[in-house]
Amino acid sequence: MSNLSTKIIAYLGRTPDFIEEVILQNDTGTDYIKEWNATDKAKPTDAQLNALSSQATALENTAKIDAKRQTEYLSWQQQFEMIYKDQKNGTTTYKDHCDKVRSDNPKG
């Protein structure tokens, strides 16, 4: 189940500033929109946000995959070293590494 902030991201088509534009609160055990200051779209209804649940869940799943991939890619220094050695030796170590990270963590 997707959370409210992700439904808002799906609704706006972008990530708002959750400090200035859209302020969420949870003082009843349920998240709700305390303040809506986004000027590009009107404040959504609960029905509009609930209709975006599957889209928001997909966004959350993609973010989890991206985070996992980031932990599996090596540091930029190690990546540059692989690229350098590949060019020097005619190998594909860097490409193979990237392909493995992607195949181990597919998106959809």
Side-chain angles (χ1 to χ4, degrees):
M1 179 163 189
S2 55
N3 67 40
L4 180 59
S5 60
T6 311
K7 289 178 186 177
I8 291 169
I9 292 168
Y11 173 73
L12 289 173
R14 63 178 180 84
T15 302
D17 179 341
F18 282 105
I19 296 172
E20 295 291 325
E21 286 186 287
V22 179
I23 300 170
L24 304 180
Q25 191 155 331
N26 182 333
D27 51 5
T28 61
T30 304
D31 291 338
Y32 65 92
I33 299 170
K34 179 181 178 186
E35 250 182 77
W36 185 268
N37 300 315
T39 57
D40 47 339
K41 280 193 170 181
K43 180 180 175 181
T45 64
D46 288 342
Q48 287 174 307
L49 291 175
N50 289 336
L52 294 168
S53 285
S54 61
Q55 185 180 346
T57 298
L59 287 172
E60 289 174 358
N61 291 340
T62 298
K64 287 177 189 174
I65 293 166
D66 287 343
K68 180 94 167 82
R69 282 183 176 186
Q70 285 179 348
T71 63
E72 292 185 14
Y73 285 120
L74 301 174
S75 70
W76 65 267
Q77 293 94 337
Q78 291 169 305
Q79 290 181 41
F80 274 119
E81 184 68 18
M82 278 194 284
I83 292 167
Y84 169 76
K85 287 181 179 178
D86 282 347
Q87 289 179 345
K88 184 177 178 184
N89 302 324
T91 57
T92 59
T93 308
Y94 176 71
K95 179 191 169 301
D96 297 341
H97 172 71
C98 292
D99 288 344
K100 179 166 179 13
V101 170
R102 287 184 180 108
S103 68
D104 288 351
N105 304 286
K107 290 186 182 182

